[in-house]
Amino acid sequence: MYKNAKRKIERGVAFPTCLSVNNTVCHFSPLASDTSELQEGDVVKIDMGCHIDGFIAVVAHTHVAQEGPVNDRKADVIAAANTAAEVALRLVRPGKKNKDVTDAIQKVAAAYDCKIVEGVLSHQLKQFVIDGNKVILSVSNPDTRVDDAEFEENEVYAVDIVASTGEGKPKLLDEKQTTIYKRAVDKNYHLKMKTSRFIFSEINQKFPILPFTARALEEKRARLGLVECVNHDLLQPYPVLHEKPGDYVAHIKFTVLLMPNGSDRITLHPLQKLEPTKTIDDPEIKGWLALGTKTKKKGGGKKKKGKKNEGDKADTEPMDASKTDAAAS
């Protein structure tokens, strides 16, 4: 992209690719030495992000490694995450509050007998900032609080929905699984180990602001050097969290632009055919899904002649609550 631009435009990975399987919630980005293999029927969460000139787009999608329709509890949890994401898309709009979204997505998950996973935050995105100050909390509880905020025009958000067939209270099982980090720009410390100083210098040169994976560093040195950097808060780790074995976790994340004429979802991937055991009967949820994502333009000027923009048409259509595939949105 932009190879012929007169000025050099920075571009690349904004969040490393993660493949989190079954009861693994998020942030599993294996090193080159990892030998694990996907199995038939695995529920795989794919999470990634990129940027051009610091403007970030992120996306996460859930796919079951099988042919044919997905059914039973695997279908329930994916439908719960996807429907919650569709509701969030319609509620993240100027004038609405972040707490409105928190309450709604929990209600959607409950309709599928699933839980929204605690600790997941949807952040405002800014240039070179992947975790802006305005935040949507997935689950409200006494231990996790965020400031009340109102959405405004021309803001950008990463809406991050993670649903589980389990309790929704993930745990860190092994710190050694952590491979994704972000430089804590407000922290400084004089590192003692030569290896740590070498790795930290490489991080400052290559990944001064956005998250990165240890896979991008020299692996042997990285294992030693990263520990001291994390211990002295120079790096913010993204831990690999797990639900209980036998639970399934689904992850849907998208980037939305709050434009004057409505919401533009700019990252999307179609779902497999789902056959969940539950259906949406709640009138409030059906009402949210019936909302369009676009607002009528002011002024009412004459329309230009020519082909109708099919993309705009799709954006304005409400989601049918009886359908669970992404094409319905």
Side-chain angles (χ1 to χ4, degrees):
M1 301 288 290
Y2 300 110
K3 286 183 179 178
N4 297 325
K6 291 181 180 178
R7 66 184 181 93
K8 184 182 178 184
I9 295 177
E10 194 173 334
R11 58 203 186 273
V13 174
F15 196 84
T17 303
C18 302
L19 291 159
S20 305
V21 180
N22 294 331
N23 65 311
T24 304
V25 175
C26 55
H27 301 154
F28 187 77
S29 188
L31 299 174
S33 55
D34 191 287
T35 57
S36 54
E37 296 181 357
L38 295 176
Q39 305 297 321
E40 177 83 14
D42 279 347
V43 179
V44 186
K45 281 80 68 183
I46 306 164
D47 184 8
M48 63 180 73
C50 65
H51 78 96
I52 295 176
D53 197 22
F55 294 100
I56 299 164
V58 291
V59 65
H61 180 69
T62 302
H63 184 86
V64 181
Q66 67 177 52
E67 297 290 332
V70 179
N71 49 34
D72 299 329
R73 293 298 280 157
K74 293 178 183 178
D76 285 345
V77 75
I78 297 172
N82 185 63
T83 307
E86 291 290 345
V87 167
L89 174 63
R90 288 154 174 79
L91 295 181
V92 179
R93 57 172 59 193
K96 289 284 188 180
K97 303 285 181 64
N98 55 355
K99 62 184 178 182
D100 298 334
V101 182
T102 302
D103 295 340
I105 63 175
Q106 289 182 77
K107 187 166 189 175
V108 171
Y112 288 97
D113 195 21
C114 294
K115 294 280 182 69
I116 294 294
V117 173
E118 293 183 3
V120 179
L121 300 175
S122 297
H123 285 276
Q124 183 185 6
L125 300 174
K126 295 184 177 182
Q127 189 176 19
F128 289 108
V129 178
I130 201 167
D131 49 1
N133 291 333
K134 283 192 179 181
V135 171
I136 304 164
L137 195 59
S138 291
V139 179
S140 53
N141 59 49
D143 298 328
T144 313
R145 293 183 180 278
V146 299
D147 293 335
D148 289 343
E150 184 176 305
F151 306 119
E152 299 177 47
E153 275 190 13
N154 301 315
E155 291 181 334
V156 183
Y157 286 87
V159 177
D160 204 346
I161 309 291
V162 185
S164 171
T165 59
E167 296 178 355
K169 298 179 178 180
K171 291 181 170 57
L172 173 65
L173 301 182
D174 185 1
E175 288 185 1
K176 291 180 181 177
Q177 286 188 323
T178 302
T179 59
I180 298 176
Y181 304 88
K182 184 168 77 75
R183 172 79 171 92
V185 292
D186 58 335
K187 301 289 184 181
N188 288 291
Y189 176 79
H190 184 68
L191 295 161
K192 303 293 188 287
M193 291 172 55
K194 184 178 179 181
T195 304
S196 303
R197 292 196 297 271
F198 175 85
I199 288 297
F200 191 59
S201 174
E202 189 176 1
I203 291 166
N204 279 330
Q205 288 176 25
K206 294 181 179 178
F207 315 107
I209 299 171
L210 294 170
F212 65 93
T213 169
R215 192 170 56 247
L217 305 171
E218 190 183 322
E219 192 167 330
K220 287 184 179 179
R221 284 186 176 183
R223 284 187 179 279
L224 290 169
L226 289 170
V227 173
E228 190 183 3
C229 294
V230 171
N231 286 344
H232 293 285
D233 300 323
L234 295 177
L235 299 177
Q236 173 193 330
Y238 287 76
V240 179
L241 303 176
H242 301 265
E243 284 276 65
K244 291 177 181 176
D247 292 336
Y248 297 114
V249 179
H251 189 186
I252 301 288
K253 179 164 62 175
F254 61 88
T255 306
V256 60
L257 315 179
L258 305 191
M259 307 303 289
N261 66 333
S263 301
D264 281 344
R265 179 177 178 170
I266 62 167
T267 55
L268 175 69
H269 192 282
L271 292 176
Q272 294 160 286
K273 183 174 176 56
L274 302 178
E275 296 177 349
T277 66
K278 313 286 183 184
T279 55
I280 294 290
D281 298 316
D282 187 286
E284 188 175 23
I285 296 175
K286 286 184 173 181
W288 289 326
L289 293 172
L291 295 171
T293 59
K294 294 290 185 183
T295 55
K296 290 182 179 179
K297 291 183 179 179
K298 296 176 184 177
K302 290 182 179 179
K303 290 184 179 179
K304 290 182 180 178
K305 291 181 180 179
K307 288 187 178 180
K308 193 171 184 178
N309 188 323
E310 291 297 325
D312 286 350
K313 180 185 174 185
D315 283 339
T316 61
E317 290 177 352
M319 178 179 173
D320 184 345
S322 67
K323 298 178 181 178
T324 50
D325 59 333
S329 66

